[in-house]
Amino acid sequence: MSKNLINFSDISKKDIFDLIELANNFKTEDSLDYRNEDLFPDKKIVSMFCEPSTRTKLSFEIAAYNLGAKFIDFDLSNSSMNKGETLEDTMNAIDMMGVDLCIMRHTESVIHDFAEKFPNMQFVNAGEGSISHPTQTLIDLMTILESKEISENLKITVVGDLDHSRVVNSFVEAIQIVGYKSLTFCGHPDLCKNFIDGPIGSFEPDLETALQDADVVMALRIQNERLSEKLTISANDYIERYQINVDSLQVADPNMILLHPGPVNFGIELSKEVSELDNCKIKNQIFNGVGMRMAVLTRLFSQA
Ligand code: CP
């Protein structure tokens, strides 16, 4: 594993499985919480979120707390960036204060450049625009492996706004490393332009066909904040054609599991009632987020 986690070129197949094992090992015996370990009392972590977040930021903060590390949540909205200071000058100031690791979320692909400019700090990508979100994918793989074996034939279907999803890009990178091969993409063509003739998997515009015998279904929200043009489909039509609900899941495998990285627009891409099904693993994904981020921080600090 590299000293930073910015994308999947920083980790090998073995690293992925080691991280999942480590994350599971942090769970308490009843698997309802995580153990508190005072492993890194001297480490200082700064979170630099230039886009909103709930799950990623909080789970990193709780992970740091569980590991005994200090977590400093940089409040960008109340910082000197409001007085015109650039992000690079801000990072320079943070670097001067002896920070060990920066968890960064940004609208653009800048984290790699910052990692090169500030080699004294380690960097973790907490989501870059619609480009990548590797720790979310590690959580998704951990959650899949709780229910499903690794198999080339496992049928994975991803439904939603694919073009604006950082989650799907990291997921596609990782499942090729892990060895899943049966991948179907589904969604309104306006939101899936990069996937209609994409380099991996097949595109299926009809939801019922895409969900037929699916073992894993990943739903993704419409990323309204990233749309540059108004959609050519009304909200009602979108719900009619692409919503994952109890009816549409009838054709999936009876042991299918349902994932969604969150936040969920209930009533749009998912009906509320499916979130109550045993097959729905959204809560497991959120819980696994803490363990996986404990594992990522542990591995990165152990090789700093
Ligand atoms: N899945 C995810 O990244 O959620 P947040 O935007 O709430 O962090």
Side-chain angles (χ1 to χ4, degrees):
M1 194 158 160
S2 306
K3 77 183 260 269
N4 306 304
L5 175 49
I6 300 172
N7 56 48
F8 273 95
S9 60
D10 293 318
I11 43 182
S12 66
K13 182 172 178 175
K14 182 176 181 311
D15 290 328
I16 293 174
F17 290 110
D18 286 351
L19 284 167
I20 291 171
E21 187 180 353
L22 185 56
N24 281 317
N25 285 342
F26 280 125
K27 288 180 180 168
T28 52
E29 257 176 48
D30 57 10
S31 289
L32 294 175
D33 203 349
Y34 291 94
R35 286 183 284 112
N36 276 20
E37 309 260 359
D38 201 27
L39 292 177
F40 303 109
D42 299 329
K43 293 292 186 184
K44 293 180 279 298
I45 299 169
V46 159
S47 70
M48 169 65 84
F49 277 66
C50 307
E51 273 192 7
S53 167
T54 296
R55 289 150 201 76
T56 310
K57 190 160 88 170
L58 265 183
S59 59
F60 267 118
E61 183 161 4
I62 293 165
Y65 172 84
N66 288 345
L67 295 170
K70 306 286 178 297
F71 187 93
I72 301 112
D73 179 12
F74 181 76
D75 181 5
L76 191 130
S77 65
N78 205 22
S79 75
S80 289
M81 287 180 73
N82 275 340
K83 301 179 222 167
E85 189 164 40
T86 64
L87 180 57
E88 182 167 343
D89 288 341
T90 305
M91 292 302 298
N92 201 26
I94 290 171
D95 189 39
M96 289 297 104
M97 296 182 204
V99 167
D100 298 291
L101 185 143
C102 178
I103 298 164
M104 182 175 271
R105 172 171 286 192
H106 200 277
T107 49
E108 287 163 32
S109 183
V110 297
I111 303 173
H112 187 265
D113 287 349
F114 282 130
E116 286 200 337
K117 275 185 192 130
F118 301 106
N120 292 332
M121 270 190 283
Q122 294 180 277
F123 281 81
V124 179
N125 174 357
E128 277 192 321
S130 52
I131 305 154
S132 60
H133 195 357
T135 60
Q136 179 65 50
T137 290
L138 290 167
I139 293 161
D140 298 343
L141 290 172
M142 177 178 173
T143 309
I144 292 172
L145 286 170
E146 284 172 346
S147 305
K148 306 284 177 191
E149 301 283 321
I150 300 280
S151 158
E152 283 195 6
N153 301 323
L154 193 81
K155 186 175 179 215
I156 302 176
T157 300
V158 187
V159 183
D161 174 6
L162 309 181
D163 284 343
H164 302 102
S165 171
R166 50 182 162 229
V167 172
V168 75
N169 290 334
S170 288
F171 188 68
V172 164
E173 271 187 81
I175 63 168
Q176 291 177 93
I177 299 171
V178 170
Y180 293 123
K181 292 215 159 47
S182 175
L183 187 60
T184 304
F185 300 108
C186 177
H188 189 275
D190 283 1
L191 297 171
C192 302
K193 293 187 180 94
N194 301 331
F195 291 81
I196 290 172
D197 293 311
I200 171 177
S202 58
F203 179 73
E204 173 49 64
D206 178 62
L207 182 64
E208 185 175 341
T209 310
L211 293 179
Q212 192 75 47
D213 301 323
D215 299 298
V216 177
V217 177
M218 180 185 284
L220 299 171
R221 75 183 171 97
I222 298 180
Q223 314 249 319
N224 288 306
E225 70 276 25
R226 297 191 211 286
L227 296 184
S228 54
E229 293 168 16
K230 199 170 177 302
L231 286 179
T232 59
I233 184 168
S234 70
N236 282 345
D237 282 350
Y238 188 87
I239 292 164
E240 178 77 19
R241 286 172 61 186
Y242 300 109
Q243 187 184 76
I244 309 282
N245 52 42
V246 171
D247 281 347
S248 60
L249 287 175
Q250 292 293 328
V251 297
D253 186 87
N255 297 316
M256 166 277 315
I257 59 165
L258 175 64
L259 306 178
H260 190 308
V264 181
N265 292 317
F266 285 113
I268 307 288
E269 73 269 12
L270 276 190
S271 70
K272 188 73 183 166
E273 60 185 343
V274 293
S275 67
E276 305 303 329
L277 299 177
D278 286 345
N279 312 51
C280 180
K281 302 299 177 190
I282 296 174
K283 288 178 184 166
N284 304 59
Q285 287 173 282
I286 297 170
F287 178 67
N288 287 339
V290 173
M292 179 50 72
R293 282 154 181 150
M294 287 176 76
V296 165
L297 293 175
T298 298
R299 280 293 301 274
L300 290 177
F301 284 148
S302 300
Q303 60 196 41

